[in-house]
Amino acid sequence: NRRARAHFRNPRVESDAWGRVEAERPRGQGYKRTVLPHATPTRRRAERRGWENATETPPPANLCPQNYGAPQGPAEPGFRSADSGRTRSKMKVKMLSRNPDSYVRETKLDLQRVPRNYDPTLHPFEVPREYVRALNATKLERVFAKPFLASLDGHRDGVSCLAKHPKSLATVLSGACDGEASVRIWNLTKRKCIHMIQAHEGFVRGICTRFCGTSFFTVGDDKTVKQWKMDGPGYGEEEEPLHTILGKTVYTGIDHHWKEAVFATCGQQVDIWDEQRSSPICSMTWGFDSISSVKFNPI
């Protein structure tokens, strides 16, 4: 009792970040520094259990003082320690497992298995998306149910060439293989022929319009290139071409420049023509095969 009173009469207590530091003087020795692992009751229990390492660093604050080194948590019934008889907690560990039978093919002839997650929370818009797809498919079936609109009848033989008007979307020109009324100008809005011309003797091989839309050119089997007025002749006038060029070979195609008064023809060779001249300004030949079509680059 005398030593206890002397100990509590002159204690030296210091504060530290990890616990308490107390100075005491055992029997026959001087003062020494002792580290308490936790509060005073915990140290007393450790001394009763016979721990010799009571002066080591205390456990972290999130660990249970009863189970040194075990995480805190509710103890399960029936699980007790062998040495102290105190209740300990269990830890649940989540693991990932993958079965090869769900994605590996047995043979090379089997279809490749594609994993699919049917969780509705991952695809919240699946039902509206499928509804929109079904609705679009139904609309497309109704749109393409009757694609045929009308037929433009009038030619007595097969149509060999077509050309569109550069300024009017409702105007289309066609050339056929019949000698009589071989070139026709159609109005797509009214779906009828507004003008017809007997342009060549025999087949009409090519037809094109001028970039301004006031006239068009035709070539045929009669080895001629003719320029015609788009609006047709006036009242009391005869149908005659504005300009006629007689060539040496049969022309199989014709096309006009997009911005200049130049057109090109093809056949055994490719000729570049000026509208004001009766001879080509340039001729290009290669090989022995004939050329069936010629086009100007829009650029």
Side-chain angles (χ1 to χ4, degrees):
N1 295 336
R2 193 180 305 142
R3 286 196 302 268
R5 285 196 297 269
H7 170 70
F8 286 103
R9 192 182 301 116
N10 298 318
R12 291 193 301 172
V13 180
E14 297 177 3
S15 298
D16 206 339
W18 44 264
R20 285 177 54 189
V21 177
E22 183 178 352
E24 64 178 3
R25 184 178 63 179
R27 181 186 301 177
Q29 299 180 8
Y31 287 98
K32 74 174 183 178
R33 191 182 181 93
T34 304
V35 179
L36 299 181
H38 210 267
T40 304
T42 306
R43 183 171 183 271
R44 292 174 181 175
R45 287 196 298 268
E47 291 177 353
R48 286 198 299 267
R49 294 179 186 177
W51 287 4
E52 297 179 357
N53 56 349
T55 60
E56 294 180 358
T57 305
N62 62 343
L63 296 182
C64 181
Q66 288 80 4
N67 296 331
Y68 186 76
Q72 296 180 359
E76 296 186 4
F79 185 79
R80 294 181 178 275
S81 172
D83 53 352
S84 63
R86 298 183 179 275
T87 305
R88 295 182 180 180
S89 60
K90 289 184 178 181
M91 295 181 61
K92 294 183 178 180
V93 180
K94 294 183 179 181
M95 300 180 64
L96 298 177
S97 63
R98 189 177 184 187
N99 189 6
D101 296 338
S102 59
Y103 62 90
V104 176
R105 296 181 297 175
E106 296 182 0
T107 62
K108 294 183 178 180
L109 301 179
D110 294 345
L111 297 178
Q112 187 72 27
R113 298 181 181 180
V114 179
R116 183 178 178 184
N117 196 336
Y118 293 94
D119 189 1
T121 59
L122 299 179
H123 308 279
F125 300 104
E126 183 176 6
V127 176
R129 190 183 299 113
E130 294 296 334
Y131 176 76
V132 171
R133 289 179 180 177
L135 188 61
N136 292 340
T138 305
K139 290 180 179 180
L140 290 178
E141 288 181 358
R142 296 185 61 182
V143 168
F144 295 109
K146 296 181 180 180
F148 180 76
L149 297 178
S151 61
L152 305 177
D153 299 330
H155 288 292
R156 297 182 180 179
D157 207 336
V159 178
S160 58
C161 54
L162 286 172
K164 62 179 182 179
H165 198 281
K167 303 294 184 180
S168 175
L169 296 176
T171 304
V172 173
L173 296 85
S174 64
C177 301
D178 51 352
E180 183 179 356
S182 57
V183 175
R184 289 177 178 263
I185 303 176
W186 305 88
N187 189 335
L188 298 181
T189 304
K190 299 180 181 180
R191 299 175 183 176
K192 67 176 184 179
C193 178
I194 58 177
H195 189 56
M196 53 185 179
I197 304 171
Q198 185 177 357
H200 300 273
E201 297 179 359
F203 290 5
V204 179
R205 297 296 181 179
I207 185 172
C208 68
T209 59
R210 200 172 186 271
F211 62 90
C212 59
T214 57
S215 61
F216 62 94
F217 295 82
T218 60
V219 293
D221 288 346
D222 53 0
K223 302 180 182 181
T224 58
V225 179
K226 296 183 180 181
Q227 182 181 5
W228 304 86
K229 187 183 297 185
M230 183 70 68
D231 298 334
Y235 181 76
E237 297 181 358
E238 295 183 0
E239 187 70 40
E240 293 183 358
L242 297 177
H243 189 55
T244 303
I245 300 175
L246 181 60
K248 299 179 180 180
T249 58
V250 176
Y251 301 107
T252 57
I254 186 173
D255 191 34
H256 200 280
H257 197 277
W258 287 67
K259 296 180 180 179
E260 300 178 2
V262 177
F263 63 92
T265 59
C266 65
Q268 295 182 0
Q269 61 184 9
V270 176
D271 297 330
I272 309 298
W273 303 78
D274 191 351
E275 294 182 0
Q276 305 298 329
R277 300 180 59 179
S278 58
S279 59
I281 58 177
C282 179
S283 298
M284 294 172 285
T285 59
W286 61 91
F288 299 96
D289 296 333
S290 61
I291 303 166
S292 58
S293 178
V294 61
K295 295 292 180 181
F296 270 99
N297 192 333
I299 299 176

